[in-house]
Amino acid sequence: EAFVQAPEVAKTGGKKQAKKGRDSEGNTPNEAKPTKSTTGDKKRPRTDSELKVPVEDAIRLELARWEVMDSIVESYDGQISPVLGGGSSARNDQKRKRHLEAWLWARSFHPLLPLGKPKKEAVSQGDAALVQKLTNAGLSHKEAETRVNQLAAILSSPLHINSSSSSSSSSSSSSSNPSSGHNSSKKQKHAAAPASFKNALDMRIEGTSRTLTYASRSVSINNSHWSKLQELYTGEAEDFEACAFLLLARYRILQVHAKGGGNQGSISPTIWNEIVTFAKLLREKSESSGPPSPEVVEAFASPLNTLARQGNYHSAFPDVDAYFGARGSFFEAEFRSGVVELNPPFDEDLVLRVAKRCDSWLEAASASKEDLVFVVIVPETDWPGHTALKESRFMRTQRTALAGSHFYLVGGQHCNAQQCYPASRNTSIF
């Protein structure tokens, strides 16, 4: 069942004018402009072709990133996870893996993935949290810092991008390349990327899912999500399977572990439909001067978990997701009117950024007497971002869903038999 009710229609119109200058993040508040993505270029939206990168080059880069992530997990499993203890149960093992995911998100996976450079404060807090867990488990503070620093060094190590035309040359090219980082003196665990992806891709369909294998790397997706990607796809038909592999590889790296991906969890279609119903009601009652936004925009999604239509969702990776109709980063977009659903990754710094951006856009909408609504779904915490959302002058309605009484879709819904999980803590809906 839906765990939120459609909030009452509340307009943001008001007499207070938008402040000039820069906000607390150093950004100029957006003037009233049509809702659109301005991915990286503040003067105009980038076209699909500008967002996309050559597929086969991107695949080679993704394979190199995957190697680094393997090394991070290997180091963590060898040097950190055993210290944390907690028994050998599946639940405790999953909890230990979550500590690594939290550490990587505090660093925005930088520089391994193109999520932007993290704030120094966020990096320091993430490191300190992991060090504290290790010292609580009995490790000396100095040794704990050393092990966390080793993990950070692997995250920042150079990528070994193999441009070999055949997989048989992988080992020799790896050992002789001085720029191959932490893999340079080791035999490659996986084959190099062949020159032609299309000729090397193997796809096998078994029951309700399929597996794509390339250069010894495999990614899986259920048939319903495969059909979804086909509907969202905006590129050349002959490149679809290559782009799908690239997308699945990127989000597999983001998952960290094969069973990871907690920060890619999403609300259910039932909840989404409640928000869509509310948006229709708002449009009927709207007194905005401009044309109402025709669709609900999803602020934090991916081609794999989006509930919106093509061109109506923002995502983390414009370079990959643009092949499937994504609008670019939420933080580089502009909103004038309409309804926007936000269910960001549950990261403390990220939730605060969301709160600040929403207030900035609402100030502009208020000044121009436009109807703009953000429906924000975040965990109930003592985080500054949660407090900022609650105390915002634009906050109209708040709901609380109790832990254990509501559900989210799993982060790996595209390849997981289990599609949902009960929330372990209260959820706030602003």
Side-chain angles (χ1 to χ4, degrees):
E1 295 183 353
F3 68 79
V4 293
Q5 300 175 16
E8 298 175 1
V9 175
K11 298 201 303 179
T12 61
K15 295 182 179 180
K16 186 173 181 179
Q17 297 297 310
K19 295 180 180 179
K20 301 298 181 181
R22 296 186 177 274
D23 62 20
S24 58
E25 288 189 284
N27 301 303
T28 304
N30 294 307
E31 300 297 333
K33 298 178 180 179
T35 302
K36 61 177 72 173
S37 171
T38 56
T39 341
D41 186 346
K42 296 297 182 183
K43 295 182 180 180
R44 61 174 176 79
R46 289 189 182 185
T47 64
D48 281 350
S49 60
E50 289 176 304
L51 289 172
K52 297 169 186 175
V53 296
V55 182
E56 293 188 7
D57 289 344
I59 290 168
R60 292 188 177 89
L61 176 60
E62 222 56 40
L63 294 179
R65 286 173 169 147
W66 202 334
E67 290 287 349
V68 173
M69 182 55 73
D70 279 353
S71 295
I72 292 172
V73 172
E74 181 180 0
S75 177
Y76 181 85
D77 288 346
Q79 299 294 318
I80 294 179
S81 185
V83 178
L84 298 176
S88 58
S89 68
R91 181 179 179 84
N92 286 326
D93 182 55
Q94 192 67 17
K95 186 176 181 180
R96 288 189 291 270
K97 289 178 178 179
R98 289 282 185 253
H99 295 327
L100 175 57
E101 290 184 37
W103 179 81
L104 286 165
W105 273 102
R107 287 176 167 266
S108 298
F109 289 75
H110 182 77
L112 183 61
L113 294 179
L115 285 171
K117 191 173 182 179
K119 293 182 179 178
K120 292 182 179 179
E121 297 83 356
V123 172
S124 297
Q125 290 173 6
D127 286 0
L130 190 52
V131 167
Q132 186 63 53
K133 287 181 173 65
L134 290 170
T135 55
N136 289 345
L139 216 59
S140 70
H141 190 272
K142 181 178 180 180
E143 180 60 24
E145 283 190 329
T146 298
R147 297 191 186 192
V148 173
N149 288 338
Q150 288 173 346
L151 209 60
I154 298 174
L155 179 62
S156 300
S157 61
L159 298 178
H160 176 71
I161 304 174
N162 199 312
S163 58
S164 173
S165 60
S166 65
S167 60
S168 61
S169 63
S170 172
S171 297
S172 60
S173 62
S174 172
S175 60
S176 61
N177 189 341
S179 64
S180 57
H182 66 280
N183 287 325
S184 61
S185 61
K186 300 180 181 179
K187 183 177 180 180
Q188 287 288 88
K189 298 179 181 178
H190 295 271
S196 174
F197 177 91
K198 299 170 191 175
N199 296 331
L201 174 67
D202 175 67
M203 182 168 67
R204 297 185 180 182
I205 303 174
E206 296 182 2
T208 60
S209 65
R210 63 191 67 209
T211 300
L212 285 75
T213 301
Y214 173 64
S216 301
R217 289 289 191 184
S218 295
V219 290
S220 298
I221 182 172
N222 60 48
N223 292 337
S224 61
H225 280 76
W226 182 260
S227 297
K228 178 180 181 178
L229 291 184
Q230 290 176 318
E231 292 175 2
L232 294 172
Y233 186 59
T234 62
E236 299 295 331
E238 62 268 22
D239 292 332
F240 172 72
E241 291 180 1
C243 292
F245 179 90
L246 174 62
L247 174 78
L248 291 166
R250 171 65 61 83
Y251 281 93
R252 168 59 183 84
I253 296 168
L254 189 67
Q255 284 181 209
V256 184
H257 305 89
K259 297 295 184 180
N263 278 303
Q264 287 297 297
S266 64
I267 64 174
S268 72
T270 305
I271 307 301
W272 174 258
N273 291 336
E274 289 287 334
I275 298 171
V276 170
T277 299
F278 163 68
K280 291 179 180 178
L281 179 61
L282 178 65
R283 285 198 295 272
E284 291 172 1
K285 296 180 177 295
S286 176
E287 297 178 1
S288 297
S289 58
S293 177
E295 302 282 353
V296 175
V297 173
E298 199 172 5
F300 292 90
S302 77
L304 295 167
N305 68 18
T306 180
L307 294 165
R309 297 179 182 179
Q310 183 188 97
N312 287 305
Y313 70 97
H314 293 272
S315 67
F317 302 115
D319 62 322
V320 172
D321 299 338
Y323 288 107
F324 301 92
R327 297 170 58 142
S329 170
F330 163 79
F331 293 107
E332 294 177 345
E334 298 175 3
F335 297 98
R336 175 183 176 182
S337 64
V339 177
V340 184
E341 181 270 338
L342 303 91
N343 178 217
F346 294 168
D347 174 78
E348 182 174 352
D349 183 64
L350 188 60
V351 172
L352 180 59
R353 289 180 64 197
V354 165
K356 290 180 177 179
R357 283 301 177 93
C358 286
D359 258 18
S360 175
W361 282 313
L362 288 167
E363 287 285 358
S366 177
S368 58
K369 291 183 170 53
E370 298 286 355
D371 286 322
L372 175 62
V373 179
F374 293 110
V375 181
V376 187
I377 302 172
V378 293
E380 185 179 77
T381 63
D382 59 357
W383 294 348
H386 186 277
T387 301
L389 289 165
K390 186 175 182 178
E391 296 180 352
S392 170
R393 78 180 186 92
F394 297 105
M395 205 280 285
R396 296 292 182 266
T397 299
Q398 180 182 355
R399 303 279 191 270
T400 299
L402 299 179
S405 67
H406 62 289
F407 297 80
Y408 288 94
L409 296 184
V410 299
Q413 59 179 269
H414 63 283
C415 60
N416 201 322
Q418 179 182 343
Q419 287 293 292
C420 62
Y421 66 94
S424 59
R425 53 184 170 183
N426 292 355
T427 292
S428 294
I429 305 97
F430 295 104

